[in-house]
Amino acid sequence: MSISGKKILIAVSGGIAAYKTHFLIRDFVKKGADVQVIMTPDAEQFVTKLSLSTLSKKPVYSDFYGDNGTWNSHVELALWADIMMIAPCTANTLSKMVHGMCDNLVIATYMSAKCPVFIAPAMDLDMYIHPSTKKNLKLAEDFGHIIIPAESGELASGLIGQGRMAEPETIYTAVENYFTGNIPAKSLEGKTVLITAGPTYEAIDPVRFIGNHSSGKMGFSLAEEASKRGAKVILISGPSAQVLKDSNVELYKVTSAREMLAKVFEFYDKIDIGIASAAVADYAPKEVAKEKIKKNDDNLTIELVKNPDILKIMGEKKTHQFLVGFALETQNEEENAKGKLEKKNLDMIVLNSLRDEGAGFKNDTNKIKIFTKTEKKEFNLKSKGDVARDILNFVESQLLK
């Protein structure tokens, strides 16, 4: 089945991203879909009924009553549609949807809909990451609605981050996939996955620290991929500039190895899969100076003490968890990775070498080998998104054994 002949009801709410809806309507109509547009009163501040009706080739409704006293039946609109798409969906409209605050034609139509509902949120960065928005998106997903996550980029406020409505091509593809049945299986539904990511910083004084070059890209990619597969995902990240693109992932920020250890064991007993991709500092200063250390001497000696080995402790306390570790090596790679697999009581370890061009810290790509106690699998250089899929595919294959 294709989009041709499908009846698509598009609801536009009052956000700056409403201009993108023109391109979405055009794409649906070009592919033979029958498109009906409705809008909230506030949406008329951003786009006109004339432009939307010209593209959809139908009248556009924003009120319960027409100019000639006729009733624009929200019931008929809802029952007519094969799918309903709210794009853009503002924080205000989302809140009204999930809490049943029915004060306009869009919400009344939504509450009468029997068809699948797609939601393309769009709002400013701080609004998108606010706990109330995350909760409302989760509620909408629990209702069975299909969320098309906001994307990252420059926002109308001038901030840069997640909140931009997905591009029309992305939304179109999501709808096309729905009608063709090409929907990714929720293969990790019912599972809880804990992932550590990024570096840790160990303070020397109030302004200096010991750290490493880890960006967190691999861990964030793993978190987003696990969430796509239906898992409940807990992401514990050291200092990282990465932007989380999936609002369903629970993100916890920490700084030091000891903070990461404490946060991991807040959840460890309740998780099914643990993936330790963080580059945890092995050592920390024995004492942290209370004031900035002045540059007085030619040499500075700092006594270091060993940090807790988070992954080793996870392995020691493992009961039912499937535990995945990472090894970044520069020599004797396979031997060291296999040793770590055994010593830390892991089920699986992912090896990458700094000698492989394009692999390791900060890169958008990675080249990995995966080991269990009985298996070895090698992969070519790929994007970290693709590497995340390879890793989780391998995890799933082990869980089925």
Side-chain angles (χ1 to χ4, degrees):
M1 296 172 66
S2 67
I3 284 178
S4 179
K6 297 300 178 185
K7 292 176 284 190
I8 299 176
L9 178 63
I10 297 180
V12 184
S13 64
I16 193 70
Y19 78 91
K20 291 184 179 180
T21 310
H22 294 93
F23 303 99
L24 185 61
I25 295 167
R26 181 197 62 188
D27 291 344
F28 282 136
V29 171
K30 282 175 68 175
K31 293 293 185 179
D34 193 2
V35 178
Q36 174 65 61
V37 181
I38 58 176
M39 58 199 304
T40 65
D42 285 343
E44 294 190 68
Q45 302 296 319
F46 298 91
V47 290
T48 67
K49 289 182 179 178
L50 177 61
S51 61
L52 297 173
S53 65
T54 299
L55 290 167
S56 65
K57 308 186 190 323
K58 288 180 181 293
V60 174
Y61 307 115
S62 62
D63 200 350
F64 290 103
Y65 308 104
D67 294 336
N68 57 0
T70 57
W71 177 41
N72 298 324
S73 173
H74 60 279
V75 176
E76 289 183 9
L77 286 165
L79 296 179
W80 169 84
D82 291 316
I83 67 160
M84 183 176 186
M85 167 72 67
I86 297 91
C89 183
T90 61
N92 182 48
T93 292
L94 174 65
S95 180
K96 289 179 179 180
M97 289 168 62
V98 298
H99 296 291
M101 297 179 66
C102 184
D103 65 351
N104 61 49
L105 178 66
V106 165
I107 303 300
T109 304
Y110 158 74
M111 294 186 70
S112 301
K114 302 289 191 291
C115 61
V117 175
F118 289 72
I119 297 171
M123 60 200 75
D124 208 58
L125 170 64
D126 295 325
M127 297 171 70
Y128 191 71
I129 63 175
H130 194 277
S132 63
T133 302
K134 290 185 175 182
K135 183 177 180 180
N136 288 342
L137 284 169
K138 182 65 169 62
L139 279 172
E141 194 167 48
D142 290 344
F143 291 170
H145 303 334
I146 299 166
I147 311 297
I148 304 173
E151 297 176 355
S152 295
E154 186 174 353
L155 305 169
S157 65
L159 295 174
I160 296 175
Q162 193 173 9
R164 290 169 62 97
M165 187 176 90
E167 292 303 314
E169 297 85 353
T170 301
I171 298 172
Y172 176 89
T173 299
V175 174
E176 185 177 51
N177 286 343
Y178 171 79
F179 282 124
T180 58
N182 185 24
I183 301 173
K186 298 291 186 180
S187 52
L188 290 176
E189 196 160 22
K191 301 289 187 186
T192 300
V193 180
L194 182 146
I195 298 167
T196 64
T200 64
Y201 289 173
E202 312 300 332
I204 296 172
D205 62 21
V207 299
R208 301 181 181 92
F209 60 85
I210 295 171
N212 57 60
H213 296 297
S214 175
S215 65
K217 289 178 182 177
M218 191 70 255
F220 277 64
S221 295
L222 282 162
E224 288 160 5
E225 180 63 24
S227 180
K228 286 179 187 175
R229 298 181 185 214
K232 175 184 177 181
V233 181
I234 299 161
L235 176 61
I236 301 171
S237 175
S240 171
Q242 290 301 113
V243 176
L244 186 62
K245 298 176 183 176
D246 189 331
S247 61
N248 292 318
V249 174
E250 295 180 22
L251 173 62
Y252 298 90
K253 291 277 194 176
V254 298
T255 301
S256 69
R258 292 186 180 278
E259 288 175 359
M260 183 171 283
L261 175 68
K263 186 59 70 175
V264 164
F265 281 94
E266 282 185 29
F267 304 102
Y268 193 62
D269 288 343
K270 299 178 182 178
I271 69 169
D272 301 291
I273 301 167
I275 304 177
S277 69
V280 180
D282 294 323
Y283 294 89
K286 184 176 182 179
E287 295 184 5
V288 179
K290 293 181 180 179
E291 304 292 340
K292 179 183 175 183
I293 299 170
K294 293 297 183 181
K295 187 172 60 176
N296 295 323
D297 301 322
D298 291 336
N299 298 300
L300 173 66
T301 300
I302 299 173
E303 185 177 357
L304 301 178
V305 293
K306 203 167 188 179
N307 266 330
D309 189 329
I310 298 173
L311 185 56
K312 187 172 185 288
I313 298 169
M314 291 170 77
E316 290 169 348
K317 295 182 179 294
K318 185 174 69 169
T319 53
H320 62 281
Q321 300 88 348
F322 186 91
L323 188 55
V324 181
F326 274 67
L328 177 63
E329 302 291 343
T330 58
Q331 58 184 348
N332 301 324
E333 288 99 338
E334 293 194 14
E335 181 182 341
N336 289 335
K338 290 175 184 177
K340 191 173 183 180
L341 175 74
E342 188 70 32
K343 290 175 188 174
K344 301 195 178 183
N345 193 27
L346 309 180
D347 297 287
M348 168 181 149
I349 193 160
V350 179
L351 167 67
N352 48 256
S353 170
L354 283 180
R355 295 196 295 180
D356 290 327
E357 188 175 350
F361 293 150
K362 293 187 177 179
N363 291 307
D364 292 324
T365 54
N366 207 356
K367 184 178 180 181
I368 65 166
K369 297 177 184 176
I370 294 177
F371 297 90
T372 68
K373 291 176 182 177
T374 58
E375 297 178 64
K376 169 186 171 182
K377 189 167 184 179
E378 296 189 42
F379 299 85
N380 295 324
L381 186 72
K382 298 182 180 182
S383 72
K384 286 186 173 174
D386 287 338
V387 172
R389 284 185 278 277
D390 288 337
I391 291 171
L392 289 173
N393 286 343
F394 196 94
V395 169
E396 290 181 20
S397 73
Q398 298 300 302
L399 293 177
L400 291 172
K401 291 184 176 180

